[in-house]
Amino acid sequence: MRGIHLYLLSAICFSSAVLAAPTKSGKGSFKVQRRRISPRGLSGGAAELGKAYRKYGFDVPPALSNKVSMHSSLALGDPGDRTEQDSKEADDKDDDAGNIPADTQEGDVSFHAPITVGGQSLMMNFDTGSADLWVFSTGLPAAQQTLGHTVFDPAKSSTFKPLQGASWQITYADKSFARGTVGLDTVDIGGAKVENQAVELATTVAPSFLRQEHSDGLVGLSFGSLNTVKPRKVKTFFENIMPTLDKPVFTANLRHFELGAYEFGKIDESQFEGPLTYTPIDASDGHWQIESKTFAVGDGEKQSNPNAKPAIMDTGTTLILADDLVVEAYWSQVEGAEMNDAEGGVTFPCNTQLPDFHIALGPTYTAIVPGDLMNYQRLSLETCFGGMQSNNGGSVQVYGDIIFKSQFTVFDGGNQSIGFAPHK
């Protein structure tokens, strides 16, 4: 009976803490602006492809697995150092408009921005493909706290409150994982604050997470139903701040080799051409998921993908992971393109001019991705890695930053829809 009593008491403590509405303060809109750094130890195309496969539970082909394993062993041997610029306090960079700087890894690998948790500045990945706000913490073994990350220390936060009985765990198909404890603290992004925001503290992580050396954690921007906290899921930062915004939206204005921004509560019409076209989402599993059933290559005719898998719009993924029919139709139009087992994906001669890629984002809008964006990475003087790769028969297609770099995108939480328009 004593065990049952303690379990019920823990559950009651957890329930009362989570059900207490976070206090929001600040602005009806705010912007998270990006800036560029030149970090060490960048991930290659195969590593980014492998990361996406793990995230969505896709089967990893042996050739890709071998390539990623080789890259991983090299990465662990060279954890790299954060630049002096990375360690500056975000408060030093804030301005009256609520703009904060963000880091772009060279080659557009991923985008990061400083936020504060309990007054401590952390460089975070903004990810519309997940719903956990988690950070590297002092709960990790001491040796893992020095591998290129700034760790959050709850003991140094006067506003941190542990969430008794709560835990979280992210597990990928290859058995890699991150897990830990949960607390409530004040999270500040661009001057907009959510008090009592659930923050997940990593206390055990697999080596694959430690290799993500340019990020101190992740801000999940999908829906709370995808959250991994137990025994009860928690709301995301966006879900908590949304009622205070001028509009229940955030926008992704991500650009190739240019500064861009995430903006919450406002749609900056100076950043895109023509009207926005909105498409409804299916958020039943927590994702910003849309239909995508047609495509075209260059000046060719529109083609149908009759068995098209739904597509997840994911700022936390770099590449386009499409159905095989689409991948084969595109790369068959590129002379010299091939499935390159040594590199873990489709490669092509770098001196080839790639055709534009036309892809349906919903039933009424077709995005045009310029051919130069379909060239993800130069592997050598002669060989480049393709920006679109196969989802290997996975249950979804995943549209990552290759798409976003061509489209201004509005994530509308109030109307459960996504809006698209070409960048200006």
Side-chain angles (χ1 to χ4, degrees):
M1 291 296 293
R2 182 174 181 270
I4 294 176
H5 174 74
L6 290 176
Y7 173 81
L8 290 175
L9 179 60
S10 174
I12 291 170
C13 291
F14 177 84
S15 175
S16 62
V18 172
L19 294 179
T23 302
K24 307 128 192 137
S25 65
K27 311 178 178 187
S29 67
F30 57 99
K31 180 182 292 185
V32 184
Q33 212 163 30
R34 308 188 306 170
R35 60 182 169 85
R36 188 181 307 280
I37 60 170
S38 298
R40 299 165 58 191
L42 293 176
S43 297
E48 291 299 312
L49 182 57
K51 184 172 71 172
Y53 274 27
R54 294 197 309 271
K55 182 175 183 178
Y56 288 98
F58 297 166
D59 291 334
V60 181
L64 176 60
S65 180
N66 292 338
K67 179 67 176 179
V68 171
S69 295
M70 181 176 66
H71 172 88
S72 298
S73 63
L74 292 173
L76 277 179
D78 182 19
D81 300 316
R82 294 174 67 87
T83 65
E84 180 181 352
Q85 202 171 22
D86 291 341
S87 61
K88 290 182 179 179
E89 293 293 329
D91 290 345
D92 293 340
K93 296 291 185 179
D94 286 347
D95 60 31
D96 294 337
N99 297 336
I100 62 175
D103 282 350
T104 303
Q105 291 188 32
E106 191 173 323
D108 294 338
V109 172
S110 59
F111 307 97
H112 298 83
I115 73 170
T116 63
V117 179
Q120 300 171 47
S121 182
L122 302 167
M123 303 297 296
M124 305 287 277
N125 183 16
F126 282 37
D127 182 8
T128 60
S130 64
D132 292 89
L133 195 167
W134 71 269
V135 297
F136 289 93
S137 79
T138 52
L140 288 165
Q144 295 182 352
Q145 295 180 31
T146 59
L147 295 178
H149 303 282
T150 294
V151 295
F152 172 72
D153 186 351
K156 294 181 179 179
S157 170
S158 62
T159 50
F160 180 84
K161 298 182 285 290
L163 200 53
Q164 300 296 332
S167 63
W168 66 282
Q169 177 166 323
I170 297 172
T171 303
Y172 288 158
D174 65 349
K175 310 301 182 185
S176 62
F177 63 90
R179 64 174 177 244
T181 58
V182 186
L184 304 178
D185 211 335
T186 299
V187 174
D188 184 325
I189 299 180
K193 298 179 181 179
V194 173
E195 298 177 6
N196 295 319
Q197 171 67 48
V199 179
E200 301 160 38
L201 280 60
T203 58
T204 307
V205 296
S208 58
F209 285 92
L210 292 174
R211 288 190 289 270
Q212 299 173 22
E213 63 187 64
H214 307 293
S215 172
D216 302 326
L218 182 146
V219 178
L221 294 172
S222 59
F223 297 92
S225 59
L226 194 63
N227 180 263
T228 69
V229 171
K230 294 182 177 181
R232 180 175 297 184
K233 298 177 184 294
V234 298
K235 289 185 177 182
T236 66
F237 176 88
F238 177 57
E239 288 174 319
N240 281 323
I241 202 72
M242 190 164 57
T244 74
L245 299 175
D246 293 338
K247 295 181 178 180
V249 305
F250 67 92
T251 64
N253 183 15
L254 311 182
R255 297 171 181 263
H256 182 47
F257 288 131
E258 293 183 27
L259 296 179
Y262 292 94
E263 191 158 15
F264 293 73
K266 178 183 177 181
I267 300 173
D268 187 348
E269 296 184 356
S270 70
Q271 297 300 308
F272 57 89
E273 298 279 0
L276 287 160
T277 300
Y278 284 87
T279 186
I281 65 168
D282 176 3
S284 57
D285 67 351
H287 285 295
W288 295 93
Q289 182 172 287
I290 62 175
E291 67 174 60
S292 181
K293 297 182 177 181
T294 61
F295 66 97
V297 180
D299 296 327
E301 295 182 357
K302 180 185 292 186
Q303 302 182 51
S304 174
N305 181 8
N307 299 312
K309 304 294 175 55
I312 294 172
M313 303 303 300
D314 181 6
T315 61
T317 293
T318 302
L319 305 170
I320 301 171
L321 275 61
D323 293 333
D324 283 345
L325 183 150
V326 180
V327 175
E328 292 170 4
Y330 182 84
W331 291 113
S332 68
Q333 300 301 305
V334 178
E335 185 175 356
E338 62 177 351
M339 177 60 208
N340 187 329
D341 287 345
E343 296 297 342
V346 176
T347 63
F348 62 94
C350 292
N351 60 2
T352 302
Q353 184 174 353
L354 297 181
D356 294 344
F357 178 53
H358 303 243
I359 184 67
L361 302 179
T364 62
Y365 182 76
T366 298
I368 301 176
V369 182
D372 61 347
L373 292 182
M374 300 298 285
N375 180 349
Y376 174 67
Q377 180 193 29
R378 181 181 287 273
L379 301 172
S380 67
L381 290 176
E382 299 179 349
T383 304
C384 285
F385 194 88
M388 179 166 62
Q389 301 286 337
S390 170
N391 64 359
N392 202 28
S395 59
V396 294
Q397 302 182 88
V398 184
Y399 293 170
D401 290 343
I402 301 293
I403 295 280
F404 291 106
K405 284 182 281 189
S406 73
Q407 303 294 312
F408 183 90
T409 307
V410 178
F411 294 86
D412 190 331
N415 294 310
Q416 298 277 287
S417 62
I418 306 182
F420 301 100
H423 285 308
K424 182 173 288 186

